[in-house]
Amino acid sequence: MVLSNKKVYCGEFNPDSEGKVFMQMPLDDDMTVSSQALITVEPLKKIPQPTGETVMTGSISL
């Protein structure tokens, strides 16, 4: 997710054998002030701020 032009970690997911992903994300304060979501490829370990290549973008509307 992007907040004030900064990427923010929101969770991890792995596609199933058909390449599909379904993920529910909690609606917290960060989600209510963002209008864009990004999917990035990151190293296997958790990091505080995503730094990997963006491979998908989308919009958020509440």
Side-chain angles (χ1 to χ4, degrees):
M1 175 180 324
V2 179
L3 298 174
S4 302
N5 294 320
K6 280 178 84 175
K7 293 178 184 175
V8 177
Y9 173 84
C10 292
E12 300 174 16
F13 64 87
N14 293 302
D16 65 16
S17 62
E18 296 179 354
K20 298 177 183 178
V21 173
F22 178 79
M23 181 177 168
Q24 291 183 330
M25 297 179 70
L27 182 60
D28 58 18
D29 290 340
D30 289 339
M31 295 289 275
T32 62
V33 296
S34 179
S35 62
Q36 184 178 24
L38 305 174
I39 305 295
T40 60
V41 177
E42 301 295 335
L44 294 177
K45 63 181 181 174
K46 291 183 180 179
I47 56 175
Q49 182 176 349
T51 58
E53 176 186 359
T54 299
V55 295
M56 186 181 296
T57 62
S59 60
I60 299 171
S61 61
L62 302 174

